Each structure stands twice: as C-alpha cells, then as structure tokens.
Amino acid sequence: AHSLSSLESQVCLQRPFSIARLCSLSLSVSLSMSLSLSIHFKGFIVKILSLSPLHSGNSSGDFNHFPGDPEFGDIIQRAEQAIEGGVFPERISQGSSGSYFVKDSKGKILGVFKPKSEEPYGHLNPKWTKYFHKLCCPCCFGRGCLIPNQGYLSEVAASHVDTRLGLGVVPKTKAVYLVSETFHYNTIDRAKSRGKKYALEMVPKVGRHFHRVGLPPKLGSFQLFVEGYHEADYWLRRFEAEPLPENIRKQLQSQFERLVILDYVIRNTDRGNDNWLIKYEKSGEGEGEKVSCVCVCAIQIAAIDNGLAFPFKHPDEWRAYPFHWACLPQAKVPFSQETRELVLSRLSDMNFVQDLCEDLYEMFMADKGFDKTMFEKQMSVMRGQILNLSQALKDNKTPIQLVQMPRVVVERSRTGGQGRVVTLGTAFTQTFHCKRPFFSSW
C-alpha cells in the first residue's frame, strides 16, 4: 500500500507538466493490478485509460491488415513508419474538409488520407466553410440525398466498383486507420495524450502497460497518389487550342467513357472538371528507358474525389447535382464498341449486380452508423442506374443521352418476416422517380 501511494504521489506531485494549470491527475490501482488513470479537466473527470498488464500497442498498425493486397499493406506500413519518424501528413489547403498528403520517410507523397471525423459535415472538420454554411443557410445545408459522414466509404466503394467493372480510372482506395499530430483532434483527446505521455515518462513501469499512449487513430479513406496528372480543365483547354492526333483522341474518348460509366453507376453528385485528372505524355517525353515504360495509353484519366456518391434517392430537392462532363464534346459521341464489350455483359448479368451489392454491403456494414434500410435504398438507386446504362449501351446512345433518360429505382421486394425483422426477396420492382429538384438543367 505504501508503494502504491508513493507511485500516486510520484505521478501527481512532481514538477507540473504542460496541462497542469487546467488539469489534476489521479491514479488508482486495484488488487488485480488493473490501472485507471484520469484527469480533472475544467470540472469534468476525463478517463485517460483503463488497462491491465495484458494490453499493449500504440500505433495504428494494430488496425491495418491487408492480407489480400500486400503491396498496399506495404505502402501503409511505410506511411506509419514515416509518421513515427516525424514525417507527418500535410493538410491539403483546397477543399471543404480535412484531407492530408501522407508521405514516406523521404518526403515522397504516398497517398491522400481523408478521415471520417473531418469530412465536410464531420464534428472535427478543421475548415470553417461548412460551419458558416450550416449557420447562415440551413435550408440548403448538405446534400439531402446523401447519408452524412459516409464519404470515406463512398471513396472506398467507388474504387471497388471501378475494379469490378475493369475500368481502371480510380486510384486504389481502401479504409485505413492512421494517427498523426497534424490531424485535427479536440482538446480533450490532446490533453489525454499529453497526460499519458507524462505518466509514461515519470513512471515507466506503469506506462508500458498502457493500451495506447498517443492520440487515437482515425478511420478514413486512403487513396494512392498519382503522379504526372493535371486537372481536367487544364488539359481540355490545351486540347482545344492544340487538337490531338486521331489515335490519341480515341484513347481520350475511351478513357472518358470509363469515367462516365463510373460516375453514372455510383451516381456521383460532385463531378466537376476540377476533380478528375488527365495525364498526357507525348511520344519522346521522359528519360532514357522510361519512355518505353509509359503505360499503353499515352493519355490517362484518374477519377478522384468520389466521396459524394451512392445517394439513397435521386436528387429532388434544391439542386440536381449534374455531371459536368455532360457539357463536353466527348459526351456527344456514342459509346464505343470497346466500351460496350468491356462492361455490357457484366452490367446485364443480375448475378454480377447482386454480387456487387453484397460486396458493398460488407464494406458499408463496418461503419458504426450503418443502417440496413438506408443501404438498401442506396442499392436501389444504383440498380436503377445500371439498368439505364445497360439499355443506353445496347441502344448505342451517347453519354448526354444517357443522363437525359428517366431516372429509375429498382427495389427488392419484401417477403414479410416476424416482428421487426423484414426479409428481402429475390424479386425486384422497377419504378420511375419523377420528382425534379427546384434548380434542374436536365
């Protein structure tokens, strides 16, 4: 007992640390040697830890496992090692949410991390634009057709849809946990972290049993960084002044059609010419052997910023959220035979579509706020988009004609159930969504 009281006094009474003016520290140890450390913060008792000698681990690496993709896992491991070595993620100034360039130990950008808690309407968004939006214009706040704070899942799901359809326009994106001092944390989390670090410094025997010493890891989407790309606006203006050779023009058209298919299937509500990228390398550009290593396509498209997709209903309130690519000359050209051969057989197969929905279910259900009813509505919209797209490909329509087709929702029938449990059947009902938003260009 004497040693325990000495331990407490050693933690509480030695020289004050950085938050001593705001907090007082207390430590309790039970006979079973489980420990509880808390701080008194501005009148509130905040629990810092509750642990036993069996629990340990301090990094986000405890959460990140990618057995099916060791290459991606290696990239995340390099990012974690860089953060531990003091190379912290850098916040991106553009955009209305907290997003970060994640680097390796040499400072090379590996990817873009978008934490769930720092999304446009997240409670820890470090940028004030959306706060003033909510305060000054609540009637137009947010997108009424989207589930809030699900952007990271939308990013990951868009990457999966891209992979399943073989489009190859979305940089690989997965859900990961990362922790960094440069992320936006609230005052309590930072105070708890400082308290733990101080306890670890002053009482190492206690500190090494902490479940986590630093800040809590953040869950979010991690999208691999693509090099050599510019915003589509930049290249489209250049192509107007300097027309492309015919073979390159066809490559651009093929890549553009893949972007159209992706956006239409996931019903992206935020596709402007500033959030899809183009990489164009003329013959002879590069150094030495790198010229022969350039991808088969001299021109490539990357579809980034897919966090505002998968709506649970078609936009029908204030804004239509149109696809801005529908105004481009490429949207007036019918889908090519190459594109039809790539995706039509898959989109026409209901087994493939159902498998895709089940894959997305496994992703979305991992979120704490998952709602099965809302998810089924999201899939109903996606099925309707796929139905329209399949018909447009069969009828040799253009992308602009595609977006002008009647909006369809394909819902799964309900077969009843017991109590609150509702069972979904294998039959589907097709309905048209006729309500239009107040401001609509279609």
Side-chain angles (χ1 to χ4, degrees):
H2 176 72
S3 62
L4 293 182
S5 61
S6 300
L7 180 64
E8 182 175 353
S9 62
Q10 187 177 4
V11 174
C12 298
L13 301 180
Q14 286 198 12
R15 62 178 179 81
F17 51 105
S18 58
I19 60 172
R21 295 181 180 179
L22 298 176
C23 311
S24 61
L25 196 65
S26 63
L27 177 71
S28 61
V29 185
S30 68
L31 294 177
S32 62
M33 291 305 294
S34 62
L35 296 92
S36 177
L37 183 65
S38 61
I39 59 176
H40 296 268
F41 180 77
K42 294 183 178 181
F44 295 94
I45 298 177
V46 182
K47 190 175 184 181
I48 292 183
L49 60 98
S50 178
L51 51 94
S52 70
L54 298 177
H55 294 286
S56 63
N58 299 325
S59 73
S60 58
D62 299 334
F63 301 92
N64 297 321
H65 302 285
F66 305 98
D69 194 345
E71 183 179 354
F72 187 87
D74 179 65
I75 292 174
I76 298 302
Q77 186 176 21
R78 287 164 56 194
E80 293 170 338
Q81 291 172 349
I83 294 173
E84 291 176 1
V87 182
F88 299 114
E90 177 186 348
R91 184 182 297 167
I92 302 172
S93 59
Q94 296 92 340
S96 58
S97 64
S99 54
Y100 301 83
F101 285 129
V102 180
K103 305 175 182 180
D104 64 9
S105 56
K106 297 180 180 179
K108 179 183 178 182
I109 298 177
L110 297 175
V112 175
F113 181 64
K114 298 181 179 181
K116 171 183 170 66
S117 62
E118 299 185 33
E119 290 182 8
Y121 304 109
H123 67 288
L124 289 177
N125 184 357
K127 299 177 181 177
W128 288 78
T129 53
K130 292 301 177 182
Y131 172 78
F132 286 115
H133 182 190
K134 182 178 181 179
L135 186 67
C136 302
C137 194
C139 61
C140 300
F141 176 67
R143 283 168 162 80
C145 58
L146 295 177
I147 299 176
N149 295 335
Q150 207 180 65
Y152 82 103
L153 283 176
S154 179
E155 295 272 7
V156 175
S159 176
H160 183 73
V161 171
D162 173 85
T163 301
R164 289 296 306 270
L165 291 176
L167 301 175
V169 294
V170 179
K172 184 178 293 184
T173 311
K174 293 183 182 293
V176 304
Y177 285 88
L178 289 178
V179 57
S180 170
E181 295 178 7
T182 52
F183 296 160
H184 191 228
Y185 290 94
N186 58 35
T187 306
I188 297 296
D189 282 335
R190 292 193 181 275
K192 289 166 63 176
S193 175
R194 288 193 293 267
K196 290 179 182 181
K197 288 180 180 178
Y198 178 75
L200 177 61
E201 177 185 347
M202 302 308 299
V203 194
K205 290 184 179 180
V206 174
R208 66 168 172 259
H209 292 292
F210 288 177
H211 177 68
R212 183 181 65 246
V213 173
L215 295 163
K218 288 200 173 195
L219 171 64
S221 63
F222 187 97
Q223 185 173 87
L224 298 186
F225 185 73
V226 290
E227 297 181 351
Y229 286 77
H230 290 280
E231 291 182 0
D233 241 358
Y234 169 83
W235 280 116
L236 293 175
R237 294 178 186 276
R238 288 278 302 271
F239 297 155
E240 288 180 4
E242 306 171 14
L244 293 169
E246 182 62 19
N247 62 326
I248 304 299
R249 186 196 64 78
K250 289 183 178 179
Q251 292 178 6
L252 175 61
Q253 182 67 32
S254 175
Q255 291 279 297
F256 174 79
E257 291 172 5
R258 297 181 182 212
L259 172 69
V260 169
I261 289 172
L262 171 76
D263 279 349
Y264 194 81
V265 169
I266 67 177
R267 187 45 184 102
N268 197 334
T269 67
D270 184 35
R271 180 64 76 206
N273 290 338
D274 59 341
N275 58 10
W276 59 283
L277 311 175
I278 297 178
K279 180 180 181 181
Y280 178 44
E281 293 185 350
K282 297 180 182 179
S283 301
E285 290 187 352
E287 298 179 1
E289 297 180 356
K290 289 185 179 180
V291 176
S292 61
C293 295
V294 176
C295 292
V296 177
C297 293
I299 193 165
Q300 287 183 289
I301 283 177
I304 61 173
D305 288 344
N306 302 301
L308 296 174
F310 298 96
F312 62 88
K313 66 174 182 176
H314 287 283
D316 59 6
E317 296 177 3
W318 288 98
R319 298 165 57 192
Y321 307 111
F323 304 108
H324 289 273
W325 44 249
C327 301
L328 299 176
Q330 290 81 3
K332 299 177 182 178
V333 180
F335 286 100
S336 64
Q337 182 64 27
E338 176 191 358
T339 299
R340 290 198 294 270
E341 291 176 356
L342 176 66
V343 299
L344 183 55
S345 60
R346 303 179 192 183
L347 297 177
S348 302
D349 182 359
M350 286 305 297
N351 290 325
F352 173 85
V353 175
Q354 185 57 32
D355 288 343
L356 180 60
C357 292
E358 291 175 0
D359 290 347
L360 297 180
Y361 177 80
E362 294 295 326
M363 292 181 181
F364 280 64
M365 71 177 296
D367 187 71
K368 290 184 178 180
F370 175 73
D371 186 314
K372 188 173 182 179
T373 301
M374 298 302 292
F375 172 79
E376 188 56 37
K377 291 182 178 180
Q378 291 174 290
M379 295 300 99
S380 297
V381 173
M382 189 181 76
R383 293 190 200 99
Q385 296 292 96
I386 290 175
L387 181 64
N388 269 356
L389 177 58
S390 301
Q391 192 60 47
L393 292 172
K394 293 175 183 176
D395 295 343
N396 200 30
K397 291 187 175 182
T398 65
I400 185 62
Q401 291 173 328
L402 169 64
V403 299
Q404 292 172 344
M405 294 177 69
R407 296 175 296 174
V408 180
V409 174
V410 179
E411 299 176 299
R412 290 181 67 179
S413 62
R414 300 181 177 225
T415 59
Q418 296 181 350
R420 297 183 178 180
V421 179
V422 178
T423 305
L424 297 174
T426 56
F428 296 88
T429 303
Q430 172 184 333
T431 57
F432 291 96
H433 190 90
C434 299
K435 186 180 178 182
R436 294 281 178 176
F438 186 80
F439 298 104
S440 178
S441 58
W442 295 346

